[in-house]
Amino acid sequence: MRKFLFAGMVGLFASLWLSVSAQEPTTMWPYLFTDFTEATLHFRSGETGQAKVNIHLLHNDLHYLNGSKIFTTDNQNDVARIVLPDNRAFVRCENLYIEVLGETPQAILGRRTTGDFDRLTQGTGAYGTSSSTSAVDNLSSLQIGGLTNLNYDLIRVERENGQTLPLSVRFCFVIDGQIYNANKRTISKLLPEADQKEFNTFLKKNKVKWNREEGLQKVLEYISPLLAK
């Protein structure tokens, strides 16, 4: 009995490890989601549509499935918002898709995720310095899924054959259609000068950490009425 229980535990941990490792984007699967996902697309024209979509991490572009072929929209900025079945939403701003973590009429707290291709392509120049020319050459020689190979079945099979793609993940605020990094100096400057001192007091009182979502949700609630002035 113990033997079977142990074997079952090993199988469970193995399957969990495989599911976690499979979620990592690679150069052959440089997508934000582990698979193409049904979503509602909200266009700037006011229309809506349904499609199986993913966000390609090279240029932060929307890709969608039609059968076994991957397509991209002619104008990425035609799509204003993507809403997934679990109600996660992404807004298009400054040529990026920003995940919505919190939202008021005045601002959005978001998470910006991009592929850190620079870390993959950094070359070494003279005396050990980084060579940008070498990096560009390396990027052009990388096989990147979802660009030249637009066959969904093939790149899905080959996803584990690529290099692990490092990600750059940052919190930000979207205000009046512009992206602002989530830090004290940037956000303070957006507030009326008369409110900046009280804002600093609020940050100290609440021990806000700018790399923690729960603190940033409090910042969103605090600044929204001030931005509405």
Side-chain angles (χ1 to χ4, degrees):
M1 180 67 178
R2 287 182 180 177
K3 183 184 292 185
F4 288 119
L5 181 60
F6 177 76
M9 293 285 287
V10 170
L12 175 62
F13 285 125
S15 63
L16 286 172
W17 182 86
L18 286 172
S19 66
V20 170
S21 63
Q23 291 177 5
E24 282 188 324
T26 69
T27 51
M28 293 306 295
W29 185 269
Y31 286 106
L32 183 60
F33 310 142
T34 56
D35 204 348
F36 280 73
T37 305
E38 286 286 353
T40 302
L41 307 182
H42 295 260
F43 296 92
R44 298 195 190 279
S45 63
E47 297 178 278
T48 60
Q50 299 285 326
K52 271 193 169 183
V53 305
N54 215 325
I55 296 173
H56 198 282
L57 294 168
L58 179 58
H59 298 300
N60 218 251
D61 286 343
L62 180 70
H63 286 189
Y64 66 93
L65 274 184
N66 187 349
S68 62
K69 294 291 185 183
I70 299 171
F71 293 86
T72 184
T73 59
D74 292 333
N75 186 348
Q76 289 289 325
N77 293 317
D78 285 344
V79 179
R81 183 180 291 252
I82 305 167
V83 181
L84 303 183
D86 60 4
N87 290 323
R88 276 193 301 163
F90 294 78
V91 293
R92 181 74 174 176
C93 182
E94 294 188 23
N95 299 320
L96 293 169
Y97 283 101
I98 305 295
E99 183 178 0
V100 178
L101 303 176
E103 188 170 12
T104 69
Q106 293 79 28
I108 291 172
L109 169 63
R111 178 162 45 214
R112 178 176 60 187
T113 304
T114 54
D116 193 349
F117 287 88
D118 287 342
R119 285 171 60 186
L120 286 178
T121 59
Q122 273 188 340
T124 303
Y127 308 106
T129 58
S130 175
S131 167
S132 59
T133 302
S134 181
V136 171
D137 291 341
N138 289 339
L139 179 58
S140 63
S141 66
L142 271 179
Q143 282 190 306
I144 299 175
L147 291 180
T148 56
N149 185 355
L150 298 176
N151 186 302
Y152 165 77
D153 296 322
L154 285 179
I155 68 168
R156 183 160 171 76
V157 168
E158 295 176 354
R159 64 186 297 169
E160 300 301 328
N161 296 331
Q163 301 177 51
T164 298
L165 177 61
L167 299 178
S168 172
V169 183
R170 296 180 181 179
F171 290 116
C172 61
F173 288 90
V174 178
I175 301 169
D176 292 332
Q178 288 187 286
I179 299 171
Y180 297 92
N181 290 331
N183 60 64
K184 177 182 173 181
R185 182 178 181 183
T186 298
I187 302 306
S188 182
K189 285 184 176 180
L190 297 175
L191 304 179
E193 189 172 346
D195 296 315
Q196 291 180 8
K197 186 176 180 180
E198 286 188 18
F199 178 57
N200 291 334
T201 302
F202 159 81
L203 296 176
K204 290 178 182 178
K205 181 179 178 181
N206 289 273
K207 298 179 181 178
V208 170
K209 295 183 179 179
W210 292 91
N211 60 348
R212 298 288 180 87
E213 182 181 337
E214 56 269 25
L216 296 180
Q217 293 284 4
K218 293 178 182 178
V219 172
L220 174 66
E221 294 171 9
Y222 184 90
I223 68 174
S224 291
L226 301 179
L227 294 171
K229 289 183 177 180

